[in-house]
Amino acid sequence: ADAGAGLDAAVLIITALEHAPPLKWDDGWRWMLPEHRSDPALLSPDSARDIATELRARYFVDGEFHSRADSATLFLRLHDVAGDSVYARAVAAGPLGEAAYSSITLAALTELLPSLIDPGRPPPDVSAVADRNPPAITAFLQGERAYRSARYPEAQSYYSSAVERDSLFAFAALKGALAAGWTHDTLAAEAFLGAVAPRAEALPRRYASFYEGIRAYESGMSDSANAAFETSLEDSPRWPEALTALGETHYHLIPTGEAEARAGEVFQAAAEAMRRILVENARRKTRKRHGGEHHRVELDHVDLACEMPSEDILALDEALAKLAATDPVTAKLVHLRFFAGLGNEDASRILEIGRA
């Protein structure tokens, strides 16, 4: 099968595991070398094991699709990191057609899941994903591809399509709200959040907490918003969206010096997490298209970084590194502006508080 089918299978497995407590997972994508992200088939089991070891995982999953003219087969392998061996295998096949790869992926994952659970315990329930409308899953996976590459307007469109096809797809609606947040489309974000409300209980734990935090923030309930966002960060401490939301809560709803100082720390962490994501994606794109040459960009004439071309993101990253060596305060200001989405006034105030 094409590389896109393999990536979609990986994203679908991640999404299903997100909905399958008590299992905890970590996405190794951001730890892969750029050439491995461009072509995951180049990632060797030893390299995958190194990533899993770094993430302190007990297992990692890999696999591949084999396609024929009218059918496809997915082979999944569950690797024991410490034992350096294949712990379990699963195989699923089916005829090609609309959403065929998604159906095959979920069938193979369902076969593999019991191996991750202690004997006698029921396997995790992935029905929140498996029961969704197949065309909605297809649109959602296209949205995830775009979101991972920071193409937020495109991702927002795909998530909207997913929700239109399946109004109970709460996870797609919340991801749509996140994408709309990065593009500052307030009306779209509110519409997505409205679509989440009837099925909020179906969200994975950290996303459910994030949703509760957003609603509490909108209602001016600072303590509830703060607690919800902190909970959402327990399993993913460098989640950019949750860090940014937590920073907004401290900055706008808890107007004390200590809270505002905490907001500065959180915004800086969010900006750094987003900077890393955008720069990694930009490097991969420019290496593939142009051999990696950089462009010049003026720091006072750029928009929010996620809306910039890949070449400009790399130029901004390079310019920031140089600026930090000569004027660290201004570098931090630019960092907050273009990677955390803060305006000049808010970014300046946060830096002033941090120096006080």
Side-chain angles (χ1 to χ4, degrees):
D2 64 271
L7 176 58
D8 284 351
V11 171
L12 187 57
I13 289 171
I14 288 169
T15 303
L17 292 179
E18 184 86 69
H19 287 77
L23 296 177
K24 291 186 177 181
W25 65 273
D26 209 329
D27 185 356
W29 175 263
R30 293 172 187 168
W31 294 75
M32 292 165 61
L33 296 173
E35 55 267 31
H36 293 155
R37 289 196 295 269
S38 296
D39 185 1
L42 298 176
L43 181 69
S44 69
D46 286 342
S47 295
R49 184 171 290 104
D50 289 342
I51 293 174
T53 300
E54 183 72 24
L55 295 174
R56 299 182 180 180
R58 181 177 177 183
Y59 303 104
F60 71 89
V61 177
D62 68 2
E64 65 273 336
F65 271 110
H66 290 241
S67 297
R68 296 182 177 179
D70 57 355
S71 65
T73 302
L74 174 61
F75 297 86
L76 287 183
R77 294 175 293 271
L78 179 67
H79 296 259
D80 184 332
V81 176
D84 192 16
S85 61
V86 176
Y87 182 75
R89 302 175 189 269
V91 181
L96 291 178
E98 186 177 25
Y101 290 120
S102 298
S103 300
I104 295 170
T105 298
L106 290 170
L109 179 62
T110 300
E111 181 181 334
L112 195 67
L113 280 175
S115 302
L116 292 165
I117 301 298
D118 294 334
R121 296 185 62 180
D125 181 13
V126 297
S127 61
V129 177
D131 290 350
R132 301 282 55 84
N133 178 283
I137 290 180
T138 298
F140 168 79
L141 291 174
Q142 290 173 309
E144 289 290 272
R145 281 201 209 184
Y147 196 96
R148 280 169 167 256
S149 297
R151 304 193 309 272
Y152 298 117
E154 181 182 345
Q156 180 180 328
S157 177
Y158 281 126
Y159 291 135
S160 178
S161 179
V163 175
E164 288 175 2
R165 287 167 168 76
D166 188 338
S167 61
L168 299 181
F169 204 164
F171 192 53
L174 186 56
K175 290 302 294 283
L178 294 178
W182 284 117
T183 61
H184 301 292
D185 189 341
T186 305
L187 291 178
E190 189 58 38
F192 277 120
L193 291 172
V196 174
R199 292 282 294 168
E201 75 282 354
L203 292 171
R205 176 178 176 270
R206 67 177 176 131
Y207 285 93
S209 297
F210 184 84
Y211 173 74
E212 291 172 4
I214 292 175
R215 286 313 196 193
Y217 178 87
E218 291 177 336
S219 301
M221 301 166 61
S222 58
D223 290 343
S224 296
N226 183 68
F229 291 134
E230 291 281 11
T231 298
S232 71
L233 285 164
E234 288 178 359
D235 294 331
S236 301
R238 295 195 176 279
W239 186 12
E241 293 87 345
L243 284 168
T244 300
L246 182 61
E248 293 283 355
T249 301
H250 280 277
Y251 186 65
H252 292 291
L253 297 187
I254 313 176
T256 66
E258 182 178 347
E260 289 179 327
R262 169 62 173 154
E265 296 173 2
V266 174
F267 277 130
Q268 289 284 4
E272 184 57 36
M274 180 52 61
R275 178 180 179 179
R276 184 171 61 251
I277 293 168
L278 293 174
V279 170
E280 286 178 355
N281 278 314
R283 284 175 177 161
R284 174 169 51 85
K285 292 176 184 176
T286 54
R287 182 180 292 108
K288 183 175 181 180
R289 289 200 308 254
H290 307 304
E293 64 267 88
H294 290 189
H295 292 192
R296 177 180 175 82
V297 61
E298 298 296 334
L299 292 180
D300 56 349
H301 291 96
V302 291
D303 299 316
L304 184 64
C306 67
E307 299 169 357
M308 295 166 58
S310 297
E311 293 87 351
D312 286 352
I313 290 175
L314 293 178
L316 173 60
D317 183 60
E318 183 177 330
L320 271 175
K322 293 179 179 178
L323 182 62
T326 59
D327 189 349
V329 174
T330 301
K332 288 181 179 180
L333 177 67
V334 175
H335 194 238
L336 288 170
R337 275 189 63 196
F338 301 117
F339 292 103
L342 297 182
N344 275 331
E345 184 177 344
D346 286 342
S348 298
R349 176 169 169 73
I350 283 173
L351 291 177
E352 287 294 331
I353 292 168
R355 293 198 298 272

